[in-house]
Amino acid sequence: MGFMIRVVFVVISLTVAVVLKQYRGLTAPLPVPELNLKQYWGPGDVKQYKEDTSIKPFKVSYDAPVIEKLRTKLNDVPTLTAPLEGVAFEYGFNTNRLKEIIKYWRTTYLDSWSEREKLLNKFPHFHTQIQGLNMHFIHVKPKVPAGTKVLPLLLLHGWPGSVREFYDIIPMLTTKSKDKDFVFEVIVPSLPGYGWSQASAKKGLSPSEVAIVMKNLMSRVGFEKFYIQGGDWGSLIGNYIATYFQGNVLGVHLNMCSVNTALSYPKTFLASLRPSLFIDEQYTDYYFPLGSKFADIIEETGYMHIQATKPDTIGTALQGNPVGLAAYILEKFSTWTNPAYRNLPDGGLEKYFKLDSLLDNVMIYYLTDTITTSQRIYAEAFAADELKKDIDRIPTAVPAACAKFRYELMQQIDWILKDHFTNLVQSNHFSDGGHFAAMQLPEVLYKDFVTFIASLQK
C-alpha cells in the first residue's frame, strides 16, 4: 500500500512538473523579434515602387456636388422601423432619435459645411509615403518663446474614431500654460485605411505592423525619440511601438491599457476572489464582478466578431450609406461612453459631445469611403500570424501610464499590467468618462497626461 502511494505521488509530481514546465513556456518573457521595417503594403510589386519621401501639405476640401449628393441621399431615407414601445437604445440605435439626427445633418449641418470644413482644416495637414502607403497626418508646431522646452508627441486614435477626436486637446498640448513648463509638438496620423490615409493592398497590416508604420512616420517628420498617447487601437498600437522600439519611446500614456497573455487570465480570476488584496476597494467595480463585466463586453462586442471575420461584408452594407453609417458609428459614442445610456431615448449622445463634432467624425468615414478598410484591422489583429507573436510577453521598460476612465469597455488591474509594463509609473482612476476620453473629457485626459510627462521630466 505504501509503495502504491509513493508511485501515485511520483506520478502526480511528474505530471505537475511537466504542466508547470509547459506553462512557464507559455509565460516566460520573450525578446523583441527581428523586425522588417520596410515591409511594402502598397498595390502591385514592390519592385515597381520608389518611395517619395517628401512631405506635402494637404487640405480637406470637397466640391459642392459631393455635399449635395449626400444631401440627396439624406432626403431619400428608407422607411425606418419604429423602435419597440418603451425601448431606448437597448436594441441598438433608436430610429426616432436617428430621424432627428438625419434631419439635422441634412439641414443645419450641411448648410454650414463650409464652416465645418474650415474647422477640419484648423490644423496643418500633410501627406507622405511610408512603406507604399500615402499616409495622412496633422502636424502642429507650437508657437512659443525661444528656450521653451518642446516635446514631440504622437497621438493615436482608434475605431470608429479619427483624428477629429483630438481637436479639443491639441490646443492644450501645444500652448504654454501655468500647469507645465513645456509644450508639445504634436503629430496626429490617420491610421492606415482610416480617413485620408491609404489602405493596405495586402493582407497582414495588423496592429503590430501599423506600429512599424507609425515609428517610420515619426522618423520621417524628424523625431527618433518621442512620447505617445493613445486609446482604443491607438492604445494597442502605442503599446506595440513602446515594446518594439524601447530606445525611441520616451514615455507611453494609454487610456485603454490591456495585457493579453496566458498569465493574465488566471491572474484576473484569482484577483476576483479577493479584490481587496489587489486593488483599493473604492475601485473594485471598475474591474469586478467578472460576470457582469463579461456580460457588458459580450453585449457591446457583436460588431467586433463581424469585423474580425467578415469586414468587407459589413463594409459593403455601410459604404455610401450615410444613414446606416451614422447609426453604426454613433451607437458606439452612446453605449461606449456609458452603458447606462442604453436606457435613454436619445442615447445620451449630447451629454458630452456636440452633434456637430460627432457628425464631423462620421463625415470623415463617409467622404473618404474608408469604413470597410478601417474595419479590416480587426481581421488582421485576430489573424493567427498576429496572435502567435504574443507581443505582450515582451516586457517594455518604457515609462508607462494608464488613465482608467470609469466606463471604459475593459479594465485590468495593475498587478496584471506590470507583467508587461514593467515601468508603470502612473495609474489613475477617474470617476467618469468612457471609451472616447480625448473627445469626451479632454481636460481630464490632458491633466493626467501632463502630470505623467512632468514626473518624467523631473
Side-chain angles (χ1 to χ4, degrees), residues 8-9 25 28 84 98 102 179 186 200 250 316 329 361 423 427:
V8 171
F9 178 76
L84 293 170
L98 184 58
I102 291 168
D179 61 349
V186 177
S200 174
L250 301 170
T316 301
I329 289 176
N361 185 65
N423 192 11
S427 179

Side-chain angles (χ1 to χ4, degrees), residues 203-440:
K203 288 178 64 176
L205 186 55
S206 61
S208 64
E209 294 292 343
V210 174
I212 296 172
V213 174
M214 295 295 104
K215 164 60 178 65
N216 286 337
L217 174 62
M218 291 303 284
S219 296
R220 176 67 52 79
V221 298
F223 297 115
E224 292 301 330
K225 293 181 181 291
F226 52 90
Y227 296 92
I228 300 172
Q229 201 293 313
D232 191 80
W233 285 119
S235 180
L236 189 65
I237 294 165
N239 169 14
Y240 289 172
I241 300 172
T243 301
Y244 281 168
F245 305 102
Q246 299 187 33
N248 301 93
V249 180
L250 301 170
V252 57
H253 181 282
L254 309 173
N255 52 288
M256 195 178 78
C257 291
S258 65
V259 171
N260 183 27
T261 64
L263 197 56
S264 63
Y265 301 104
K267 276 192 165 186
T268 298
F269 175 74
L270 184 61
S272 72
L273 301 177
R274 287 291 298 275
S276 61
L277 296 178
F278 302 93
I279 54 173
D280 190 314
E281 289 189 23
Q282 65 178 313
Y283 303 126
T284 299
D285 65 349
Y286 283 63
Y287 311 94
F288 306 110
L290 287 181
S292 63
K293 295 300 178 185
F294 183 70
D296 283 342
I297 289 175
I298 290 296
E299 185 161 0
E300 288 300 329
T301 53
Y303 82 98
M304 185 170 67
H305 188 78
I306 296 173
Q307 293 176 193
T309 55
K310 310 291 183 182
D312 287 23
T313 301
I314 184 63
T316 301
L318 298 173
Q319 197 156 314
N321 172 11
V323 176
L325 186 67
Y328 198 70
I329 289 176
L330 295 183
E331 176 203 281
K332 308 310 180 192
F333 283 84
S334 168
T335 53
W336 290 5
T337 297
N338 188 327
Y341 291 172
R342 295 186 196 116
N343 304 314
L344 300 178
D346 65 355
L349 283 169
E350 293 182 86
K351 284 187 176 294
Y352 290 97
F353 307 115
K354 293 179 180 178
L355 191 51
D356 283 344
S357 301
L358 293 173
L359 288 173
D360 288 344
N361 185 65
V362 174
M363 284 290 280
I364 291 173
Y365 281 88
Y366 175 81
L367 293 170
T368 59
D369 286 327
T370 52
I371 188 61
T372 301
T373 54
S374 73
Q375 294 171 153
R376 288 177 180 165
I377 194 172
Y378 288 83
E380 304 297 357
F382 289 99
D385 286 346
E386 179 77 349
L387 294 175
K388 71 182 182 183
K389 293 177 183 177
D390 225 353
I391 301 171
D392 285 337
R393 283 176 59 193
I394 306 170
T396 175
V398 171
C402 294
K404 300 180 178 183
F405 290 88
R406 178 66 184 81
Y407 302 109
E408 180 57 90
L409 288 171
M410 183 183 70
Q411 310 273 13
Q412 282 184 319
I413 60 175
D414 292 350
W415 183 46
I416 296 170
L417 295 174
K418 287 179 180 179
D419 287 344
H420 173 68
F421 298 101
T422 60
N423 192 11
L424 184 62
V425 299
Q426 179 176 298
S427 179
N428 291 328
H429 295 77
F430 297 96
S431 60
D432 198 2
H435 190 66
F436 304 98
M439 198 169 180
Q440 180 192 1

Side-chain angles (χ1 to χ4, degrees), residues 140-151 169-186 446 450:
V140 184
K141 298 179 180 181
K143 297 178 180 178
V144 291
T148 304
K149 188 182 295 184
V150 179
L151 309 175
I169 201 172
I170 288 173
M172 302 179 202
L173 294 165
T174 55
T175 304
K176 199 168 184 182
S177 56
K178 294 180 180 178
D179 61 349
K180 61 184 186 297
D181 60 1
F182 49 83
V183 293
F184 296 95
E185 184 169 338
V186 177
Y446 163 80
V450 166

Side-chain angles (χ1 to χ4, degrees), residues 23-291:
Y23 193 69
R24 280 196 294 271
L26 294 173
T27 60
L30 296 176
V32 176
E34 185 175 341
L35 304 172
N36 181 357
L37 303 182
K38 296 183 179 181
Q39 179 68 46
Y40 177 70
W41 299 108
D45 192 337
V46 66
K47 294 178 182 178
Q48 309 298 320
Y49 171 70
K50 185 177 181 181
E51 189 154 285
D52 180 356
T53 60
S54 65
I55 296 174
K56 300 174 181 176
F58 166 77
K59 188 175 182 180
V60 178
S61 179
Y62 292 90
D63 294 336
V66 175
I67 303 305
E68 289 311 308
K69 183 178 180 180
L70 171 58
R71 195 192 302 270
T72 299
K73 288 185 176 184
L74 294 174
N75 265 316
D76 186 23
V77 177
T79 301
L80 299 176
T81 302
L84 293 170
E85 295 177 5
V87 169
F89 270 60
E90 296 97 331
Y91 279 61
F93 209 103
N94 184 291
T95 50
N96 290 334
R97 176 63 173 139
L98 184 58
K99 290 175 184 176
E100 297 172 355
I101 291 173
I102 291 168
K103 181 181 179 181
Y104 180 86
W105 190 3
R106 184 182 69 244
T107 55
T108 305
Y109 181 89
L110 288 185
D111 286 347
S112 61
W113 171 244
S114 61
E115 295 303 312
R116 304 316 301 170
E117 210 169 49
K118 286 179 184 177
L119 183 139
L120 291 172
N121 284 305
K122 71 180 290 187
F123 305 118
H125 295 249
F126 301 91
H127 271 131
T128 191
Q129 283 190 340
I130 303 287
Q131 296 174 250
L133 302 179
N134 194 30
M135 291 298 299
H136 162 260
F137 62 99
I138 291 170
H139 189 172
V140 184
K141 298 179 180 181
K143 297 178 180 178
V144 291
T148 304
K149 188 182 295 184
V150 179
L151 309 175
L153 171 62
L154 174 65
L155 291 178
L156 295 169
H157 69 81
W159 186 92
S162 64
V163 295
R164 181 64 180 85
E165 291 181 66
F166 297 109
Y167 270 51
D168 289 335
I169 201 172
I170 288 173
M172 302 179 202
L173 294 165
T174 55
T175 304
K176 199 168 184 182
S177 56
K178 294 180 180 178
D179 61 349
K180 61 184 186 297
D181 60 1
F182 49 83
V183 293
F184 296 95
E185 184 169 338
V186 177
I187 294 87
V188 193
S190 293
L191 297 180
Y194 286 71
W196 300 283
S197 281
Q198 185 179 351
S200 174
K202 296 172 171 56
K203 288 178 64 176
L205 186 55
S206 61
S208 64
E209 294 292 343
V210 174
I212 296 172
V213 174
M214 295 295 104
K215 164 60 178 65
N216 286 337
L217 174 62
M218 291 303 284
S219 296
R220 176 67 52 79
V221 298
F223 297 115
E224 292 301 330
K225 293 181 181 291
F226 52 90
Y227 296 92
I228 300 172
Q229 201 293 313
D232 191 80
W233 285 119
S235 180
L236 189 65
I237 294 165
N239 169 14
Y240 289 172
I241 300 172
T243 301
Y244 281 168
F245 305 102
Q246 299 187 33
N248 301 93
V249 180
L250 301 170
V252 57
H253 181 282
L254 309 173
N255 52 288
M256 195 178 78
C257 291
S258 65
V259 171
N260 183 27
T261 64
L263 197 56
S264 63
Y265 301 104
K267 276 192 165 186
T268 298
F269 175 74
L270 184 61
S272 72
L273 301 177
R274 287 291 298 275
S276 61
L277 296 178
F278 302 93
I279 54 173
D280 190 314
E281 289 189 23
Q282 65 178 313
Y283 303 126
T284 299
D285 65 349
Y286 283 63
Y287 311 94
F288 306 110
L290 287 181

